[in-house]
Amino acid sequence: KNEVEQSPQNLTAQEGEFITINCSYSVGISALHWLQQHPGGGIVSLFMLSSGKKKHGRLIATINIQEKHSSLHITASHPRDSAVYICAVCDSNYQLIWGAGTKLIIKP
Amino acid sequence: DTGVSQNPRHKITKRGQNVTFRCDPISEHNRLYWYRQTLGQGPEFLTYFQNEAQLEKSRLLSDRFSAERPKGSFSTLEIQRTEQGDSAMYLCASSLGHGEVLTFGAGSRLTVL
C-alpha cells in the first residue's frame, strides 16, 4: 500500500462544476503540499498545509490531521484548470512522499 | 530573484557519457531537493540538502549518481556512465525550511541515446 493515496486517478468534468480531489496518507507528517503540473510544464506549489484550511482564489485546501486526510477543491472549474494535481507529504524524516497524482480534464 | 533556475534545460547524450545538471535555488532557501520524473509518472525523490549537508539519499540513486551543494547555494547533480534508463526530467526544488512551500525549477530533461 502506498503511503500517499490520491483519488480519483482521473477526473473529467464540465466547466463550472465543483471539483474535489482527495488525498489520504499513512505516515506521520509535518506538512502536506498540493501541487499542480500542466502537460509538459513545470510543477507549481499551490498550498502547504499543516492544519485547517487555506483558500486561494477558486482553490480551497483542507486537512484533517486526525483522519490523515486532505482535500483540494476547485470551485467554478474552468478548462485552464486542466492539469495533474499532486499531493505530497513531508514525513517525520524530512522526506517528501508523493502521491501518484490526479489527472483533471475540464471540458468547455 | 527569479526563482529556481536549472541548467541545461535539455541535454542529449550518448550512453556511457557523463552529464551534470545545475540548480540555483532561491537565495534564502536552505533546503534543496532533487527529483526525477519519467513520462506519465509522478516525481520520484532522489536526494535533498539542508544548506551544504546532504541529509537524505534515495535508494533510487545508484553509485553512478552524485549530488553536491558545496557552499549551501547552488547544487549539481552528476550522472556518470549514463544509461538509457536515466532518460527523464530532473527537477530541482527549494524551500525556506522543513515543511515550507516548495518552489520548483523548470527541470532539466535528459535524453540518453
Side-chain angles (χ1 to χ4, degrees), chain A residues 3-92:
Chain A
E3 292 168 305
V4 179
E5 296 271 0
Q6 279 186 242
S7 63
Q9 286 188 320
N10 294 282
L11 178 58
T12 300
Q14 291 297 130
E15 183 174 356
E17 287 189 38
F18 181 81
I19 303 299
T20 296
I21 300 170
N22 294 302
C23 176
S24 297
Y25 53 91
S26 57
V27 295
I29 70 167
S30 57
L32 182 144
H33 299 266
W34 280 104
L35 307 138
Q36 180 193 56
Q37 186 173 31
H38 283 279
I43 298 176
V44 175
S45 183
L46 299 174
F47 296 102
M48 190 275 294
L49 296 162
S50 52
S51 65
K53 175 181 176 178
K54 286 190 178 179
K55 184 176 188 293
H56 181 70
R58 296 180 294 106
L59 300 177
I60 303 165
T62 63
I63 188 169
N64 185 318
I65 298 293
Q66 287 73 30
E67 294 186 3
K68 295 188 174 180
H69 181 269
S70 176
S71 293
L72 176 69
H73 305 284
I74 305 174
T75 61
S77 60
H78 189 276
R80 65 174 174 266
D81 297 326
S82 298
V84 175
Y85 292 84
I86 303 167
C87 169
V89 301
C90 197
D91 72 6
S92 55

Side-chain angles (χ1 to χ4, degrees), chain A residues 30-31 33 35 37 40-45 47-48 54 86 88 90-96 98-100, chain B residues 31 33 35 37 41-45 48 55-58 89 91 98-106 109:
Chain A
S30 57
H33 299 266
L35 307 138
Q37 186 173 31
I43 298 176
V44 175
S45 183
F47 296 102
M48 190 275 294
K54 286 190 178 179
I86 303 167
C90 197
D91 72 6
S92 55
N93 292 320
Y94 308 103
Q95 264 208 44
L96 279 173
W98 300 81
Chain B
R31 292 233 165 175
Y33 301 83
Y35 300 92
Q37 186 176 27
Q41 303 294 318
E44 298 171 300
F45 169 78
Y48 85 91
L55 295 187
E56 191 71 34
K57 192 174 173 180
S58 166
M89 177 73 86
L91 295 164
H98 177 49
E100 296 289 333
V101 172
L102 296 168
T103 301
F104 281 85
R109 183 172 294 282

